[in-house]
Amino acid sequence: MKTSPMSKLFGRLLALSLALALAVLFALPARNAVHAGGKQAHEKADKLSPDLRERLRGAHGAQEKAEVVLQLDGEESVQLRAFLNRNGVHVKGRFQNLGSIAVELPLDVIEELAAFNTEVASVSTDRELTASGHVSLTTGASAVRSQINSKGKAYTLDGTGITIAVVDSGIDDTHKSFALTGKIKFSKDFTGENTTRDPFGHGTHVAAIAAGLSTPTAGKYEGVAPNASLVNLRVLNRQGVGKTSNVLAALDWLLVNRVTYGVRVVNMSLGAPAVESYKTDPLCVAVRKLVDAGVVVVAAAGNDGKNSVGQKAYGLIHSPGDEPSALTVGSSNTFGSDARGDDAVTTYSSRGPTRGYYTDASGVRHYDNLMKPDLVAPGNKLVSAEGFQNTLVTNYTRLETGAYLTDNMRMMYLSGTSMAAPAVAGTAALLLQANPKLTPNMVKLALTYTAQPLAGFNMLEQGAGELNVEGAVRLAKLIRQDLTNATPLGTPLLTTTTPPTPQSTVAGTTFAWSQGLGFSYTYTRGTNLITKYQKVYGTGILLGDGILLGDGILLGDGNLLGDGILLGDGILLGDGHPWQDQPVFMPYGILLGDGILLGDGTLFGDGILLGDGILLGDGILLGDNVVNPLTVLVNGDNTACMK
């Protein structure tokens, strides 16, 4: 819907006036600029995560135990070590490289732990996590297998030389999808069940989508990066459940061993409700450290896209998908066809914005409200490897395809953002094979800039759009390999002065690229995103650093983004055209501070509730971290919500 310049100006003035009024009324704190280090400064009065604080308020009896993860700010003092060694306090694991410790202790001494002001940065619940399936054709992966390098030599783009770490429920290494000597470089169990295979059945399916061989199906089903290697880190037990501390132990191991095994990509098709801000959530903090070390981390968005009565639900992106440095993936539905013209975002795919929060000294919640997911990929009713006699197929027999009856060749259906994430992880491996010098932020640029906006879905549902392997590979190959954090802003980004044509034809469907890049609170567009080097593409820098929510002005030293980059003024509808041609779904200022929703043109109309994070108005529902029970998405019929 087009608006006149005068009405648009009036709308912005009205939104600005309202923002100022609300800032006074609710005492909203000013947002600080984020500098190149990647942390956003804020004063957090309460070191305890919101769910831990609530539990403490409702505690019954001094003997009640709690399992927590504490983030350290520096080295442990003699006094803190003494506290951790006292009777009744049990250290379950120290994750030295992440600066965190998993502890079981009496609930009534948690306040005492938080009182170590100079050493303990935050204390969080050791939360329970759960597991969050024609992919190569519909994503465009098959179309890019044959490549020519810069020296004119032909090669196959299949993930060769890249290792993907799969943090999941294990991998059945007897399945023929992995029947290549050295395919799985290393396996380790972090659940205590002393097996690295996959009795649950989720991790095997996920791993084969990312990097499965086509041998068992004579080429019919092939992973996106079939020759990539795998590292199998088992953090979910035979019921598909794990703890935050399990995942932290795996990520801590990865930080030390990533170079040894050539790990450039991590897939995390799992998650927990995003209760606390990404700034203190232990999983998010760990993911940021991996990304800062140069590892691409792909996370499932979650499967809470609608509520119990079938209404669209917003604000239920899971952790660690709410971490801004992660590549957060939602799920699209291809309806079983390779052609992309009818593709849609699945109803169950979790929508943004992110709703983790911290509580200030006055008891006011401050929500993150980041724009997620980053993109979507096929995730509905995907066929992939079936782990031997796994729990999922045993309990849900209709997951069995029946096409291959030999035990180590069986294939099964699964649906969910868990299946979409490894398609993106496999694509990241292809990009890194084509251009080994890409940083995680450059990988995110290539994936989102070339994504296909899906008709009728806004950016809180699809991010930049649907995964386009053909376009992402074509762009990634053109990015120079001599760029570093010291490269001056505005240096030519590509090896050519002619940027790639911003459209692709995949499986018979021709579509325009999004030609944009999502930031924390907005999006950017402009050809300078791909023709000139931007400082935000470096390592150790968060995309969105230096961006001020609201007016498009760059804060800080002005050296993170150059001229020719246009910051968006709202969240776009997604009508199937590139970002610059889409109508605005929610005008700028819709997420003012801490959970106040201004509906689509409605300022304070009926149905808008201020105060507790439940925001209703104009058909928009922002969730309040509701935890759904573990179930399974069976054949895409939404009988379950497993990520």
Side-chain angles (χ1 to χ4, degrees):
M1 182 175 64
K2 301 295 183 182
T3 56
S4 68
M6 184 61 68
S7 63
K8 188 170 183 179
L9 176 61
F10 175 77
R12 289 195 178 192
L13 290 174
L14 182 59
L16 178 60
S17 300
L18 182 61
L20 293 174
L22 290 172
V24 174
L25 179 61
F26 294 100
L28 300 180
R31 294 186 183 273
N32 296 316
V34 185
H35 301 288
K39 288 266 187 178
Q40 186 174 16
H42 71 273
E43 294 295 328
K44 181 179 178 183
D46 194 350
K47 289 185 180 181
L48 303 186
S49 64
D51 53 345
L52 190 57
R53 172 62 66 191
E54 287 299 317
R55 186 179 171 193
L56 199 61
R57 288 178 181 138
H60 302 289
Q63 301 305 312
E64 190 172 344
K65 292 280 189 176
E67 293 179 280
V68 302
V69 174
L70 61 104
Q71 303 278 352
L72 296 177
D73 187 9
E75 299 294 324
E76 294 177 54
S77 66
V78 174
Q79 292 82 1
L80 179 57
R81 283 189 176 272
F83 176 92
L84 296 175
N85 287 327
R86 71 164 61 167
N87 288 337
V89 178
H90 171 59
V91 175
K92 300 194 303 176
R94 279 187 166 86
F95 317 117
Q96 184 174 357
N97 303 287
L98 301 177
S100 54
I101 304 174
V103 182
E104 183 180 51
L105 73 174
L107 197 61
D108 61 359
V109 301
I110 285 179
E111 293 276 24
E112 186 180 345
L113 176 61
F116 285 88
N117 291 325
T118 60
E119 300 151 89
V120 176
S122 62
V123 184
S124 307
T125 301
D126 189 357
R127 298 185 188 92
E128 189 174 273
L129 293 96
T130 56
S132 296
H134 60 206
V135 172
S136 60
L137 284 173
T138 194
T139 60
S142 295
V144 299
R145 294 287 184 235
S146 298
Q147 294 288 330
I148 304 294
N149 65 18
S150 59
K151 298 179 180 179
K153 185 177 180 180
Y155 71 98
T156 301
L157 191 65
D158 55 7
T160 298
I162 307 298
T163 302
I164 302 170
V166 178
V167 182
D168 213 289
S169 61
I171 301 175
D172 180 1
D173 58 358
T174 68
H175 198 283
K176 286 193 176 181
S177 290
F178 315 107
L180 186 67
T181 302
K183 175 75 171 177
I184 302 178
K185 285 187 171 183
F186 180 84
S187 295
K188 186 175 178 64
D189 176 53
F190 295 91
T191 70
E193 291 184 338
N194 297 318
T195 180
T196 56
R197 290 188 176 170
D198 186 18
F200 183 58
H202 188 267
T204 300
H205 197 272
V206 164
I209 292 172
L213 301 168
S214 61
T215 307
T217 62
K220 186 173 183 181
Y221 298 106
E222 181 178 66
V224 174
N227 208 42
S229 300
L230 295 166
V231 161
N232 170 25
L233 303 179
R234 185 171 182 263
V235 299
L236 302 178
N237 63 21
R238 61 186 63 248
Q239 284 78 43
V241 178
K243 287 281 192 178
T244 295
S245 51
N246 300 148
V247 182
L248 292 177
L251 299 185
D252 189 67
W253 181 91
L254 263 179
L255 270 175
V256 176
N257 296 283
R258 68 190 190 281
V259 176
T260 300
Y261 294 99
V263 175
R264 298 292 306 274
V265 183
V266 179
N267 188 82
M268 301 180 70
S269 290
L270 47 76
V275 178
E276 61 185 306
S277 171
Y278 72 87
K279 302 176 188 73
T280 57
D281 185 307
L283 287 179
C284 295
V285 172
V287 165
R288 177 72 63 84
K289 290 184 178 181
L290 274 170
V291 175
D292 286 348
V295 179
V296 176
V297 179
V298 181
N303 297 322
D304 290 328
K306 60 182 182 179
N307 62 18
S308 59
V309 294
Q311 296 171 312
K312 281 187 177 183
Y314 285 77
L316 290 169
I317 300 290
H318 284 209
S319 167
D322 62 329
E323 163 54 39
S325 68
L327 254 169
T328 306
V329 185
S331 171
S332 61
N333 190 349
T334 66
F335 299 99
S337 67
D338 295 331
R340 299 165 60 111
D342 61 347
D343 291 4
V345 177
T346 58
T347 58
Y348 53 76
S349 184
S350 286
R351 299 170 176 82
T354 66
R355 297 291 288 167
Y357 65 92
Y358 74 93
T359 305
D360 67 18
S362 301
V364 176
R365 293 181 180 183
H366 299 263
Y367 291 86
D368 292 336
N369 282 335
L370 305 181
M371 189 169 66
K372 286 283 187 175
D374 295 298
L375 74 166
V376 295
N380 201 68
K381 201 176 179 181
L382 296 193
V383 177
S384 187
E386 176 185 321
F388 181 66
Q389 294 182 353
N390 68 74
T391 300
L392 287 175
V393 80
T394 299
N395 292 340
Y396 301 92
T397 55
R398 56 188 173 179
L399 295 177
E400 172 66 66
T401 64
Y404 307 95
L405 301 180
T406 305
D407 280 340
N408 63 351
M409 290 177 59
R410 291 180 183 270
M411 309 293 281
M412 65 186 290
Y413 295 106
L414 280 178
S415 296
T417 59
S418 275
M419 286 57 253
V424 173
T427 304
L430 298 183
L431 301 187
L432 290 166
Q433 180 192 358
N435 187 343
K437 298 299 183 180
L438 296 177
T439 65
N441 285 343
M442 289 176 180
V443 170
K444 185 178 285 190
L445 165 70
L447 289 169
T448 60
Y449 192 92
T450 62
Q452 174 192 357
L454 297 179
F457 297 94
N458 64 68
M459 295 173 74
L460 293 177
E461 297 176 285
Q462 66 173 321
E466 187 172 42
L467 174 67
N468 170 21
V469 180
E470 187 280 327
V473 168
R474 182 151 48 96
L475 176 55
K477 288 180 64 180
L478 294 176
I479 296 176
R480 290 169 48 184
Q481 298 192 28
D482 59 345
L483 303 169
T484 69
N485 278 24
T487 300
L489 177 72
T491 298
L493 181 69
L494 306 180
T495 57
T496 176
T497 57
T498 304
T501 302
Q503 70 176 38
S504 292
T505 299
V506 175
T509 302
T510 300
F511 54 87
W513 298 353
S514 74
Q515 301 175 61
L517 178 62
F519 281 78
S520 294
Y521 303 103
T522 184
Y523 66 95
T524 63
R525 57 183 174 85
T527 57
N528 281 357
L529 283 172
I530 61 169
T531 59
K532 295 184 178 181
Y533 180 74
Q534 310 297 327
K535 285 291 187 178
V536 292
Y537 300 159
T539 53
I541 299 174
L542 182 66
L543 280 175
D545 284 355
I547 302 300
L548 175 65
L549 172 66
D551 60 7
I553 295 175
L554 201 63
L555 293 184
D557 59 10
N559 291 325
L560 295 172
L561 280 178
D563 294 336
I565 307 293
L566 178 63
L567 296 182
D569 61 357
I571 296 171
L572 298 179
L573 179 63
D575 61 358
H577 294 87
W579 276 357
Q580 60 264 40
D581 299 326
Q582 295 178 12
V584 172
F585 167 61
M586 293 179 176
Y588 231 16
I590 59 141
L591 297 171
L592 293 174
D594 307 308
I596 298 169
L597 174 69
L598 303 184
D600 192 10
T602 302
L603 297 181
F604 281 100
D606 291 340
I608 294 184
L609 174 63
L610 301 180
D612 65 357
I614 307 290
L615 301 153
L616 299 173
D618 293 349
I620 306 301
L621 171 62
L622 280 183
D624 198 18
N625 302 309
V626 178
V627 182
N628 285 346
L630 172 64
T631 42
V632 183
L633 283 168
V634 180
N635 294 344
D637 63 3
N638 300 328
T639 58
C641 60
M642 187 171 60
K643 291 167 286 303

